[in-house]
Amino acid sequence: MGRVDVDVGEAATIPSGAAHLQRKLGGKEVQLFALGGAIGTSVFLTMGTYLPHGGPAGLFLAYSLWCINVWGVNESFAEMTCYAPIPSPFITFTAKWVDEALAFSQSWAFFLCQALLVPAEITALHVLLTFWTDKIPVEAVVIVTLVLYAGLNLIDTRWFGIAEFYMSLGKLFLIFMCFAFTFFTMVGCNPIGDAYGFRYWNNPGAFAEYLTTGSLGSFWGVISCMTFASFAVCGPEYVASVAGETRSPRRVLPSCFSSFKWRLGFFFAGSALAIGIVIPYNDESLAAFIAGTVPGHGTSAAVPYTIAMRRMNINGLPHLVNAIMMTSVFSCGNGVLFAASRALFVMGQSGRAPAFLGKTTKRGIPVYAVGTCLLIGLLAMMGASDSAVTVLDYFIDLCTICGQFNYFCTCVTFIHFYYNLKQQGISRDSLPYKGKFQPYVAYIGATCAVALMLLLGFDVISPFYIKWFFLDYTLLAVFPIAAVIWKFVKKTKYVRIGTADLGLNGMVQEVNDYEDLVVPEPQGFVERAFSGMWSWKGLANTILRKKHTN
C-alpha cells in the first residue's frame, strides 16, 4: 500500500472498531505520560509509612525485587501492545486469545483499579492541603478537583496530553530534587554540617522487625513492604491505555516500553533507597505522624524528606515540596481517570458494560464513560465523615487486588500469545517489539501476582481484623466467580492454543494500513531526550543531533 502525505497533527481515526476515538497524542506527550503517569501518592506520600516495617534495607530490597517482577510484566504488555496498538489492548487480547469470560473479569478489575484511584488521589490532595490549613472542607476539594478533571478529559484528548506533559515535568523535578537533597545532605552539605551518610543503616540497623522478633520479624517486614510495592510499582498498563490514541504508535510505544526498566529502578527503587537514608526507621517524628498523635498525619509533613529538612533547619523547602507534590498527585488522578474511562468505553462497545458507555462525541471523547468515572470520584467525600488517611488505605487495598489480577490475566494472555505465534509459524523477530526472557518472565509475573494477592492481608489474620480481611480478600473471590458466571451465561469458549485469531478480526491489518498511510510524526528533541536519557549512547546521540540542528 502506498504512503500518502497526511498530517498526523490532524484527528486520525483509530482503527479496530473504536471508530470515533482519534489519535491525538504525540510522542512527547506519550513519553512523558509513560515517564510520570504512575508517580503519585505511592511514591511521595505513603512509601515512608512502610519504612518502620522493613527498615531501610528491607524497604529497598522489597521494592527492588518487585520492580524486577513488574519489568517482566512490562515485557508481556510491550510485545502484545506494540503488535496491536488498539484501545484497552490487553483486555481485547484476553478476549480473543484466551476466553471472553476471563476478559470480562479482567476488564472490570482494571476499570475498578483505575476508577477507585480517582477518589484515592483526590483524598490525597485534601490530605496534602492540610499541610498548610485544615479549614478547607473535603467537599470543596472534591468538587473543584473533579471539575478540573472534567475540563481536561471532556474537551479534547490533546489538552489531556498537554496537561500531562507539563505536570509530568513537575514530577521529574520533584524526584530529582529529593534525590539531590539526599545526596548533598548525606555528604555534609547541610546547615548543621552533619555528614550522616549511611549512618541509619548501622544504627538502628538495616532491617526492622515486624509482627515478631528476630529473622522471622525481618522477613515479615520485607513482605509487608512488598505488599505495598505491589500497589505502588506500576506503569506498563498506562502506556498500553494510551496506545489506541497515540500517533505513530509503532514508533513511539517501543521506546516507552523499552526504557521502562530504567524508570522502575530509578524512580521506585531509588526512592525506597533515598527514604531509608535520610531518617532512621525508628524516627520519633515519623512514628508520631503514623500514629496520628501529632498534627500533620498523612501530609507531606510526614514524608521522610520533609522530616529531615526540618531537622536540618531547612524551613522553606518543605513548602515547595508540598506544592509540587500536589501537582504530582493531581496529575496521577488525571491519568487514572483517563485510563479508567477508556477501559469503560471499550467495555461498553464489547458488551461487558452498558452499551451507552461505548458512545463518543464527534470529537472522539467517550463522554458517558468519562462522566461515570467522575461520579465514582465522588467517593472521596467519604473523607468528610471518616479519617482521610483511613479512607486512602481503603482504596489502596482495593486497588492492589484489582491491579494484581490484571497483571495475572495479562501474563496468562501473553503465554497464550507466545505459543500461538509458535504453532502458527510466526517468528517473534518480525514483531515491532520482542520481549526479553519470554515466556519465563510471564510465568514468574503470573505466579508473583497470585502470591501477592494471597499475602496482601497476612498481617490482619492474627489478631483478626474483620473489616480489613474483607477489604483485602473479597475481590479475590469476586473476580473468579464473575468469570465463571459470565462463561455460564454467555457460553463462552476457551481459545485453544494454535487456533487463536492473531489478526484480531482484521484489527492488526487496519493498524498496518494506518501506519502505511500516515507519515510518522517526526521525533522531537523532548521525546529523543526522554527516550534516550536511560542510556549514555542514546543521550549522547540526542545531544549531537541537537547541536547539528543548531
Side-chain angles (χ1 to χ4, degrees):
M1 180 173 289
R3 180 181 291 269
V4 294
D5 192 8
V6 177
D7 182 6
V8 294
E10 298 173 358
T13 301
I14 290 184
S16 73
H20 297 97
L21 286 180
Q22 296 171 346
R23 294 188 182 272
K24 293 187 177 182
L25 297 179
K28 65 179 182 180
E29 289 90 2
V30 176
Q31 190 64 245
L32 265 294
F33 182 62
L35 193 65
I39 302 173
T41 306
S42 58
V43 173
F44 297 122
L45 193 58
T46 51
M47 185 185 290
T49 61
Y50 281 77
L51 179 62
H53 290 198
L59 186 69
F60 178 63
L61 177 62
Y63 268 79
S64 297
L65 290 174
W66 197 253
C67 282
I68 293 172
N69 176 63
V70 175
W71 168 72
V73 176
N74 171 76
E75 293 302 286
S76 299
F77 272 99
E79 186 167 321
M80 296 187 294
T81 302
C82 293
Y83 168 72
I86 59 178
S88 290
F90 45 92
I91 297 172
T92 302
F93 301 153
T94 303
K96 299 293 185 180
W97 298 337
V98 184
D99 196 313
E100 168 61 29
L102 184 62
F104 173 76
S105 282
Q106 182 188 14
S107 61
W108 279 100
F110 178 71
F111 165 69
L112 287 174
C113 179
Q114 305 308 308
L116 290 176
L117 279 172
V118 176
E121 299 296 341
I122 296 174
T123 301
L125 269 177
H126 177 257
V127 168
L128 286 169
L129 274 173
T130 61
F131 178 77
W132 293 304
T133 178
D134 57 1
K135 304 297 184 183
I136 303 175
V138 174
E139 296 86 348
V141 176
V142 173
I143 296 302
V144 171
T145 305
L146 288 177
V147 168
L148 292 174
Y149 284 165
L152 291 172
N153 283 269
L154 289 174
I155 297 175
D156 194 296
T157 303
R158 189 174 298 167
W159 285 108
F160 165 84
I162 292 172
E164 280 301 306
F165 174 80
Y166 288 106
M167 287 190 288
S168 292
L169 285 177
K171 293 181 185 183
L172 293 176
F173 174 76
L174 179 57
I175 283 249
F176 279 109
M177 184 177 70
C178 290
F179 286 173
F181 166 81
T182 302
F183 174 75
F184 286 111
T185 58
M186 72 184 291
V187 298
C189 298
N190 56 70
I192 61 177
D194 180 18
Y196 56 91
F198 283 87
R199 175 191 303 161
Y200 304 127
W201 283 58
N202 295 316
N203 182 24
F207 291 92
E209 297 173 345
Y210 184 62
L211 296 182
T212 186
T213 59
S215 300
L216 184 59
S218 298
F219 171 77
W220 289 125
V222 173
I223 295 298
S224 177
C225 293
M226 194 175 292
T227 59
F228 181 71
S230 67
F231 162 76
V233 182
C234 55
E237 63 269 42
Y238 295 122
V239 182
S241 293
V242 300
E245 292 173 77
T246 301
R247 301 195 296 262
S248 307
R250 292 213 176 112
R251 181 187 63 73
V252 172
L253 296 177
S255 65
C256 292
F257 281 116
S258 63
S259 60
F260 183 68
K261 56 183 177 292
W262 305 115
R263 300 170 191 181
L264 282 172
F266 189 78
F267 293 126
F268 293 105
S271 293
L273 176 63
I275 281 175
I277 291 174
V278 295
I279 64 171
Y281 71 76
N282 62 350
D283 184 89
E284 293 181 358
S285 297
L286 179 62
F289 282 127
I290 293 173
T293 57
V294 295
H297 171 43
T299 72
S300 64
V303 173
Y305 299 116
T306 305
I307 294 173
M309 288 171 188
R310 288 183 164 175
R311 188 162 294 153
M312 297 174 194
N313 300 322
I314 307 174
N315 296 319
L317 200 54
H319 294 276
L320 177 62
V321 169
N322 196 73
I324 302 177
M325 201 179 293
M326 287 187 66
T327 64
S328 301
V329 171
F330 179 87
S331 167
C332 195
N334 188 43
V336 295
L337 178 70
F338 183 93
S341 63
R342 269 47 182 183
L344 193 58
F345 164 77
V346 173
M347 289 162 65
Q349 285 207 326
S350 61
R352 302 182 197 109
F356 75 92
L357 295 170
K359 297 181 180 179
T360 68
T361 65
K362 292 181 179 180
R363 298 183 64 84
I365 304 297
V367 59
Y368 298 111
V370 173
T372 301
C373 295
L374 289 170
L375 290 176
I376 293 174
L378 292 173
L379 288 174
M381 294 285 190
M382 293 167 60
S385 58
D386 204 347
S387 165
V389 179
T390 301
V391 172
L392 186 58
D393 288 338
Y394 295 160
F395 291 129
I396 287 175
D397 280 15
L398 291 172
C399 291
T400 301
I401 286 289
C402 295
Q404 292 310 309
F405 186 79
N406 179 51
Y407 280 4
F408 168 78
C409 293
T410 300
C411 289
V412 168
T413 301
F414 178 83
I415 293 168
H416 284 72
F417 175 65
Y418 177 90
Y419 286 108
N420 272 295
L421 286 172
K422 196 171 185 179
Q423 291 204 16
Q424 296 181 31
I426 301 174
S427 172
R428 293 175 61 234
D429 293 328
S430 66
L431 302 181
Y433 186 104
K434 182 181 178 181
K436 296 178 176 61
F437 306 112
Q438 292 289 15
Y440 310 108
V441 292
Y443 282 110
I444 293 171
T447 303
C448 289
V450 173
L452 258 294
M453 285 189 284
L454 294 174
L455 286 170
L456 182 61
F458 79 95
D459 52 356
V460 302
I461 304 298
S462 180
F464 185 70
Y465 296 97
I466 188 169
K467 177 181 70 173
W468 291 104
F469 178 83
F470 279 101
L471 275 169
D472 290 340
Y473 291 114
T474 298
L475 290 179
L476 187 57
V478 166
F479 292 136
I481 292 173
V484 171
I485 293 174
W486 193 255
K487 187 171 185 64
F488 177 77
V489 173
K490 295 294 183 178
K491 295 180 173 57
T492 66
K493 293 183 178 181
Y494 169 70
V495 182
R496 296 177 58 187
I497 299 291
T499 64
D501 175 17
L502 296 179
L504 298 173
N505 196 28
M507 295 186 207
V508 175
Q509 185 57 49
E510 288 184 31
V511 175
N512 294 339
D513 293 342
Y514 167 83
E515 293 274 3
D516 285 340
L517 285 169
V518 179
V519 176
E521 176 194 24
Q523 190 180 41
F525 174 73
V526 172
E527 185 187 349
R528 290 198 304 270
F530 282 100
S531 62
M533 68 181 292
W534 309 105
S535 67
W536 291 109
K537 184 178 180 181
L539 186 57
N541 288 339
T542 297
I543 295 172
L544 289 174
R545 281 195 218 102
K546 183 66 175 178
K547 287 183 177 179
H548 180 72
T549 302
N550 293 337

